[in-house]
Amino acid sequence: MEFPETGKHCSMRNCQLLDFLPFICGHCQATFCKEHLHTISHDCLKIKSPEPNLEKLLSFICSKESCKEVSPIQMPCVKCKQHFCLAHRYHGCLELSEMGKTQKLKKWQIPKKQFAEAKVLVDQQITDSLKKSKNTAIANKIQLMRVKGSAIGPKNIPMSERCYFFVHLPLIVKNKHIGTSKGVFVNSQWTVGKCIDSIADTLKVPNNNAATTNKLLLYHHSNGALICNKMDTPLTELFENFTMIDGQQVVLEYSDNVPIETSLYK
């Protein structure tokens, strides 16, 4: 060799590696290469007897074949359980195979598909609701126009204050001039009680305000429910909270607040 005095051979009999940067054991003072530096690696004779701090002398060599990095702390892979240094901690052990990637992708696509299906369903429900709402609004406008065309009521009510109802008469009332139903207008500023009195007067329906039972009340023709049991409630309030709408069908009937059977009123 050109520089025979450079470097020293490892003291391990089965190694004898010529190391240009040799390490000296702090216990036995022998020279070793990087691989056999630690006391466990060269079976150091100076620490054969048990010592309380022997665990601190343990070292762990990286399991990567091309790496001899050692560490006093074991860092095992969660999958293969082998120790790897920081540089090789991502050694490909946890990488998914093509089949694994495909399965994982399918797993994540399931909630995505479910969300898409739910979104389509909700969008359709919203569309149907808007369509129904639009159709209802159009139907209400047509109903109002029909009622206005033949409605009767007090002529002293200003046109701007009139509201209209298609009224079905009580079952026991027979009026050959009006029939069983008729369009009526009242003042939107009136209360429910005054509205009933005016409708009864316009349609010639007997109205006994002093009666304790079976008074004249207004009902929804759509479901037979009582519109309002408080006679001093303004009609404007019922319009504002959509309890009533202008031009709707109502039933004027003698009752004691119980629902009615709407199929009887045609």
Side-chain angles (χ1 to χ4, degrees):
M1 295 180 63
E2 185 177 358
F3 301 102
E5 300 298 328
T6 303
K8 292 185 179 182
H9 291 276
C10 178
S11 297
M12 287 292 290
R13 291 182 180 180
N14 59 349
C15 180
Q16 296 296 314
L17 176 68
L18 177 62
D19 198 331
F20 295 102
L21 294 173
F23 298 90
I24 299 176
C25 178
H27 300 276
C28 64
Q29 304 302 317
T31 301
F32 297 95
C33 65
K34 176 182 177 182
E35 184 174 352
H36 299 111
L37 164 63
H38 293 276
T39 55
I40 300 300
S41 300
H42 64 264
D43 196 18
C44 186
L45 298 176
K46 294 295 183 178
I47 58 171
K48 279 294 183 181
S49 58
E51 293 180 9
N53 294 326
L54 182 59
E55 293 182 0
K56 297 183 179 180
L57 300 174
L58 296 175
S59 60
F60 302 91
I61 302 175
C62 180
S63 298
K64 185 76 173 177
E65 292 183 1
S66 59
C67 178
K68 298 302 178 183
E69 185 70 28
V70 293
S71 171
I73 301 175
Q74 186 179 22
M75 294 181 288
C77 172
V78 295
K79 185 174 182 180
C80 66
K81 308 302 181 184
Q82 297 186 70
H83 167 80
F84 289 91
C85 65
L86 291 176
H88 297 113
R89 56 182 174 174
Y90 301 112
H91 52 280
C93 186
L94 297 176
E95 291 184 3
L96 295 174
S97 63
E98 290 301 321
M99 181 178 294
K101 290 180 180 178
T102 302
Q103 292 177 346
K104 191 170 184 179
L105 181 61
K106 288 182 178 179
K107 180 180 178 181
W108 284 105
Q109 285 178 340
I110 292 176
K112 182 179 178 181
K113 181 180 179 181
Q114 291 174 340
F115 174 81
E117 291 175 349
K119 184 177 183 300
V120 171
L121 180 61
V122 172
D123 289 344
Q124 185 61 47
Q125 290 176 343
I126 293 175
T127 301
D128 293 343
S129 297
L130 291 175
K131 184 177 180 180
K132 182 178 179 180
S133 177
K134 183 177 179 180
N135 291 342
T136 301
I138 294 175
N140 290 338
K141 288 182 179 180
I142 294 175
Q143 174 68 16
L144 177 60
M145 292 174 61
R146 289 176 177 174
V147 174
K148 279 185 175 182
S150 60
I152 57 177
K155 298 186 181 301
N156 61 343
I157 299 177
M159 294 292 296
S160 60
E161 296 181 4
R162 293 181 182 183
C163 60
Y164 298 81
F165 301 110
F166 188 77
V167 182
H168 294 267
L169 276 65
L171 296 177
I172 63 173
V173 174
K174 305 297 181 182
N175 191 323
K176 63 179 181 179
H177 299 291
I178 295 177
T180 59
S181 58
K182 181 64 178 177
V184 175
F185 62 83
V186 296
N187 195 314
S188 60
Q189 306 300 318
W190 289 349
T191 62
V192 173
K194 189 171 182 178
C195 173
I196 293 176
D197 292 341
S198 178
I199 293 176
D201 183 60
T202 300
L203 300 180
K204 309 302 180 184
V205 176
N207 182 17
N208 185 6
N209 291 327
T212 56
T213 59
N214 293 334
K215 292 183 179 181
L216 279 176
L217 299 174
L218 283 178
Y219 290 84
H220 291 285
H221 184 265
S222 58
N223 56 20
L226 180 66
I227 292 178
C228 183
N229 60 1
K230 294 181 180 180
M231 297 296 102
D232 58 347
T233 303
L235 291 178
T236 52
E237 181 178 322
L238 300 180
F239 286 126
E240 288 173 358
N241 59 26
F242 299 103
T243 300
M244 300 181 73
I245 59 173
D246 198 6
Q248 81 170 74
Q249 293 190 60
V250 297
V251 176
L252 183 66
E253 185 57 271
Y254 300 102
S255 179
D256 52 356
N257 296 349
V258 297
I260 61 173
E261 177 54 55
T262 57
S263 61
L264 300 176
Y265 303 87
K266 299 179 180 179

